[in-house]
Amino acid sequence: MKSNSYKEKFGCLSAARRVWAVASIHGEAAALVTVHDEISRRWEHGDRLVYLGNYLGRGSDIKAVFDELLSFRINRLCMPGMIPEDIVFLRGAQEEILRSLLQLQLAPQPTDVFNWMIANDIGYTLEAYGESEEETRRYVREGILATTKWTNRLREKIREHPGHNDILIALRRAAFTEGGELLFVHAGIDPDLPVVEQNDNFWWGHSHFKDINTPYAGFRKVIRGFERHHGGVTVTPYTITLDGGSGFGGTLEAACFNLDGKTVDQISVPT
């Protein structure tokens, strides 16, 4: 896992004493600001930071979430000893849907694919960047050339906001501490597959995640930030789920873990 060939897919947190993890945000910018204020107040030397995906979708101000993520990243990188690799952004389901949306012209059945995307909340992201479901459908109906024109336009609208596209490019599939103590994922893993073969399990989850009853691949804890029922903070001997339902009328959750996998601090902010 430490090979350079995985650098663009996985984040490696080196020299970490503790790791902060922020659960699915779903566009709730105000709650994220509060979480960041609390993390800043409680920060210790040797802390690292992982965002567990789903920055987009549902909330009141998606673009402000990206702006806040960028601002806090700069703030933390000003701390002594911090390097860019100490802060990792994971790809969530919402970001994976957006990635597919930007390639909609390549889909064999684009209307069906777009219907599925709308059912999974991509409409909020469209609105945030000045697009609409109705207009998108019009381009899709006109065919591949029109759809390509539209996806290029959406790309440009995202690029108009400094740093937004940079976050999307920098997304990682998973993150782990250098010594192999902690593994951070978006929605889950298949416990029967090695980390490098998980692929879609990272952002769509796996039904057997809840059944993990032995250390997965030697990690002391696997920590995820999204669970479809938004059941709050759930701790088992070998896994932790952080999802209080941010964007769904619940709370935005963040927690800090030591290398033993123990929760040493926790933040919960209503949305």
Side-chain angles (χ1 to χ4, degrees):
M1 286 295 294
K2 297 178 185 178
S3 167
N4 287 335
S5 64
Y6 298 116
K7 186 175 180 181
E8 294 185 358
K9 294 182 180 179
F10 300 95
C12 179
L13 302 164
S14 61
R17 293 178 60 243
R18 313 189 310 172
V19 182
W20 286 93
V22 179
S24 292
I25 301 163
H26 283 296
E28 296 289 359
L32 180 61
V33 170
T34 301
V35 165
H36 281 164
D37 288 345
E38 287 299 313
I39 290 176
S40 181
R41 188 172 64 84
R42 307 177 195 191
W43 189 268
E44 297 181 4
H45 180 72
D47 282 3
R48 303 292 181 256
L49 177 58
V50 179
Y51 295 93
L52 302 175
N54 277 2
Y55 319 108
L56 310 170
R58 300 194 64 88
S60 57
D61 201 337
I62 289 169
K63 290 187 294 186
V65 165
F66 273 2
D67 291 339
E68 175 63 18
L69 291 172
L70 291 162
S71 175
F72 194 66
R73 180 178 183 273
I74 293 171
N75 178 280
R76 291 300 91 187
L77 290 179
C78 290
M79 304 293 289
M82 290 287 288
I83 61 175
E85 289 77 15
D86 294 336
I87 301 172
V88 179
F89 298 96
L90 298 190
R91 179 186 303 277
Q94 288 297 315
E95 293 74 51
E96 177 64 8
I97 293 171
L98 177 59
R99 186 190 69 84
S100 298
L101 178 65
L102 292 169
Q103 303 175 44
L104 187 60
Q105 69 273 14
L106 304 178
Q109 299 292 334
T111 299
D112 292 342
V113 172
F114 186 66
N115 288 340
W116 176 84
M117 291 175 173
I118 289 295
N120 284 276
D121 297 329
I122 197 63
Y124 295 89
T125 301
L126 288 175
E127 292 177 11
Y129 288 101
E131 295 290 346
S132 69
E133 175 185 346
E134 294 74 17
E135 189 168 11
T136 305
R137 290 189 185 282
R138 179 171 64 82
Y139 278 92
V140 171
R141 284 195 299 269
E142 290 179 9
I144 187 170
L145 293 179
T147 305
T148 301
K149 178 180 178 181
W150 178 84
T151 56
N152 287 336
R153 186 175 79 185
L154 178 58
R155 266 194 201 89
E156 288 306 313
K157 287 188 175 183
I158 293 173
R159 288 173 179 156
E160 287 173 3
H161 298 275
H164 290 204
N165 194 57
D166 294 330
I167 291 181
L168 294 173
I169 292 173
L171 297 178
R172 299 294 182 255
R173 296 185 178 192
F176 53 88
T177 51
E178 186 177 31
E181 300 90 353
L182 307 176
L183 175 65
F184 297 88
V185 301
H186 169 61
I189 54 169
D190 180 345
D192 294 325
L193 293 177
V195 173
V196 295
E197 295 180 13
Q198 293 292 331
N199 297 323
D200 287 357
N201 290 310
F202 284 134
W203 30 88
W204 304 124
H206 193 277
S207 60
H208 289 305
F209 182 86
K210 64 181 183 302
D211 300 325
I212 295 175
N213 56 16
T214 58
Y216 169 74
F219 292 103
R220 294 171 185 166
K221 277 286 197 306
V222 182
I223 296 125
R224 67 174 176 174
F226 176 79
E227 189 272 323
R228 66 182 60 196
H229 300 296
H230 318 297
V233 178
T234 305
V235 180
T236 77
Y238 303 105
T239 70
I240 296 176
T241 298
L242 296 173
D243 188 350
S246 181
F248 295 84
T251 57
L252 176 57
E253 299 292 330
C256 185
F257 305 95
N258 65 19
L259 296 185
D260 290 329
K262 182 178 180 180
T263 304
V264 295
D265 207 343
Q266 188 172 335
I267 301 166
S268 183
V269 177
T271 60

